[in-house]
Each structure stands twice: as structure tokens, then as C-alpha cells.
Amino acid sequence: MKYMLLIYASESWWTEDERRDYMLESTAICKELETQGMWLIASALDSIATATCVRVRDGKHQVTDGPFAETTEQLGGYCIVDVRDVDEAIDIASRLPPATKGTIEIRPLLPLPNSLSLPERGTADQPPSDAEQRRDYILLMYAQEGAWPPDEHAPALAESVDVCQQLHVNGQFISAAPLQPPKSAYCVRVRDGARAVTDGPFTETKEQLGGYFLIRVANLNEAISIAARIPGSHRGTAEIRPLYRLPV
């Protein structure tokens, strides 16, 4: 079963040195999981101050600066794992350093119908000079629960997969997935060595995170153009966040 671990914390809770150290420790955990065939992809995100939100209404896209939701703890990174069950996902979340100060929300990925398939993870080969000039962004797709009735959700999902296929051809696709409904979420916190697990999503907002697209593009404007093409931005909001470049 594949799960997305969403890492929430206040950006003010760590110094830059502490942030670097916990990223290095988290990276070591991911490498260990990779050797066990349990790790798929992970990354920290740039500061919430770098967020850009895109909405498409009546054929026109609206672009605003700043995060989609104002919360005490902001989304600072993610990790996707392939494990036997949610208990194993909870065990992994408990090991991640941010769980000691923040919250790890665990959401199962939504399996696609057999008729749909996403490209293989990664991008088409690009010349090294071209790849170095590109930047990785995550598009976080938010929408109200029920925004897509069942008879409209399937066509929208198929259209989103088509966008991914086009991005793959252009060398812009890295990864994407829809998520199970927020009610399927678990939240993990570790305080003084004791683990606390609660049901339900981390944040209660009108629009809930429903999936993500990870892309590699030349700049923010290109990311905005892609976000506007995704059906989810027509009824919800696409929050664009650049990935954090780990220190060498």
C-alpha cells in the first residue's frame, strides 16, 4: 500500500542548523527505506513564503502569492512510501525528526483505474545544461470534498493523467498521484519519546488536499501554466511550492 507522509511544522521552530541536521537525518532514513524497497520519493519544500496559488474560474486563471491555508504548522515536506499497511507507515512517520515538534499526516494514495496509467517516475532525458537550468516544483491540489461528483470525477482524473503524459513527453514530469479522502488520514506526533496517533486530517479547511503533481520546469511562470491546465484548479486551488535544494 502506498502512503504519502505530509510533514507539518512551524518554520520558526528550528534554527537553520537544526533544519539542516533533521533533513540529513531524514535523508538517511529514506536511504534505509530504499534498500528495503519501501521508499518511493521524498523532498523538503521551500519556505511557505515562496508559495503561489492558482485558480481557474470561467476560463481565466487567478494567481495569488502566499500559501493556500493559514495555519500554525505549515507543510514543509513529504515522503511517499510503499509498505504493508498503515501501521508500518505510522512506524516510519514516528522515526522522522519533524514528528518530535510537528505533525506527520499519513494519507493513502488513491489507486488509478486499470484503464489509466501514469508515466514511470522520473523525467525524459534532458541535456545536462538544460536540466541544471530547471527547477522542481510540487503542485498541491486542494478542493472541497464533493466538488467532483462521481460521474465527473472519472473524466477529470483521465484528463489529469493525459496532462501527466504530455508533461512526460516534454521532460517535465517527475511524479503525481491522487489521494484518498481526508477522512482516511492519520496524524502522528512524538513528544518526550511518546507517540500519539489520531484519526483525520491535520487541518480542517473548506478545501482539502486531494493530490499532487511533481514537475521540473524552467521557472515559476511555466509551473503556473501547467497548474492552470489541471482540472483540479478549475474547482479548487493549486498551491505551487518549489522544492528545497538540500545542502551539498
Side-chain angles (χ1 to χ4, degrees):
M1 185 75 179
K2 295 176 182 177
Y3 293 87
M4 189 172 194
L5 279 53
L6 297 155
I7 301 167
Y8 291 93
S10 172
E11 294 179 354
S12 64
W13 288 348
W14 282 279
T15 65
E16 279 303 310
D17 286 345
E18 288 174 329
R19 179 175 167 85
R20 183 193 64 244
D21 289 344
Y22 92 63
M23 284 184 181
L24 293 174
E25 185 178 346
S26 297
T27 298
I29 292 171
C30 288
K31 289 180 178 178
E32 177 190 332
L33 295 173
E34 185 176 20
T35 64
Q36 299 169 5
M38 300 164 65
W39 177 85
L40 295 178
I41 192 169
S43 180
L45 306 183
D46 261 1
S47 168
I48 196 70
T50 65
T52 302
C53 287
V54 178
R55 300 172 181 86
V56 179
R57 301 295 186 269
D58 299 322
K60 298 179 180 179
H61 64 262
Q62 308 160 3
V63 180
T64 56
D65 294 334
F68 162 69
E70 294 292 342
T71 60
T72 303
E73 299 178 50
Q74 298 90 27
L75 182 62
Y78 73 97
C79 178
I80 299 179
V81 296
D82 191 354
V83 293
R84 287 172 297 186
D85 52 37
V86 71
D87 289 334
E88 200 162 18
I90 289 171
D91 287 341
I92 292 170
S94 302
R95 295 175 56 195
L96 295 174
T100 61
K101 290 187 179 182
T103 302
I104 313 291
E105 179 182 314
I106 301 171
R107 293 277 298 278
L109 301 193
L110 180 69
L112 291 174
N114 293 333
S115 58
L116 299 177
S117 61
L118 289 165
E120 291 294 322
R121 184 165 60 88
T123 61
D125 292 336
Q126 297 292 329
S129 59
D130 182 62
E132 290 169 2
Q133 294 172 4
R134 295 187 172 208
R135 185 79 192 268
D136 293 349
Y137 292 85
I138 191 167
L139 312 183
L140 300 160
M141 309 305 299
Y142 292 91
Q144 290 189 28
E145 196 163 2
W148 296 95
D151 60 329
E152 297 179 29
H153 182 260
L157 194 59
E159 186 177 346
S160 297
V161 170
D162 284 343
V163 171
C164 290
Q165 296 290 354
Q166 295 164 19
L167 295 175
H168 177 67
V169 170
N170 295 335
Q172 299 170 307
F173 178 84
I174 299 177
S175 176
L179 301 178
Q180 298 273 16
K183 63 184 179 183
S184 66
Y186 290 86
C187 286
V188 178
R189 300 173 181 86
V190 178
R191 301 293 187 270
D192 299 321
R195 182 175 75 187
V197 181
T198 55
D199 296 342
F202 164 68
T203 56
E204 292 292 342
T205 60
K206 287 184 178 180
E207 297 183 64
Q208 294 285 349
L209 182 63
Y212 79 96
F213 295 76
L214 191 59
I215 59 174
R216 177 167 295 161
V217 293
N219 50 46
L220 176 60
N221 286 336
E222 199 168 328
I224 289 171
S225 295
I226 290 170
R229 292 165 54 193
I230 298 170
S233 66
H234 293 238
R235 297 194 186 181
T237 302
E239 179 181 308
I240 303 171
R241 297 276 299 279
L243 300 195
Y244 181 80
R245 288 172 171 160
L246 291 172
V248 178

